Amino acid sequence: MNMGDKMECIFCKIVNGEIPSYIVYEDEIVKAFLDVNPDVNGHTLIVPKKHYKDLFDIDNDTLIHIMEIAKKIDKLLKDKLNTDGLTLVQNNGLKQEVKHFHLHLKPGYKNEGKLLPVEEIYKKINE
Ligand code: 5GP
Ligand code: ZN
């Protein structure tokens, strides 16, 4: 990897706090935060703190950890936002806008309301 790639990486900047984010979960391996342009209320991204480009770059132990955290965050979203389902999306190559591995968590709702500001969703999650 070119060091320049990492220095310019928007998700590395979110990981180190240079760019603010609405943090949903954090540990020593990952940071999870609300997507700035959500498809659905509660749309969350899980990123490894270490810069891996994509599915073909990331190691399996980190991947498994990310899946475990996805389950934990699903519980949180069920509890705080009354979600009723979850779609996982992970883009690579041409399909990927940000070239730092991330897993999209897009919850579903029995009765989907209108899209609320991300800040409002963050408040609900932290109530
Ligand atoms: P991709 O197409 O790479 O899988 O999706 C990248 C996602 O990152 C998009 O859903 C986009 O809204 C989100 N995103 C891009 N820049 C930022 C940012 O600065 N902050 C947050 N929270 N999300 C971002
Ligand atoms: Zn990065």
Side-chain angles (χ1 to χ4, degrees), residues 10-11 14 33-37 45 91 97-98 102 104:
I10 201 166
F11 285 178
I14 285 179
F33 51 89
L34 295 175
D35 195 298
V36 75
N37 184 22
L45 303 172
N91 294 313
E97 180 193 318
V98 180
H102 51 282
H104 292 258

Side-chain angles (χ1 to χ4, degrees), residues 9 11-12 51 100:
C9 174
F11 285 178
C12 280
H51 181 98
H100 177 134

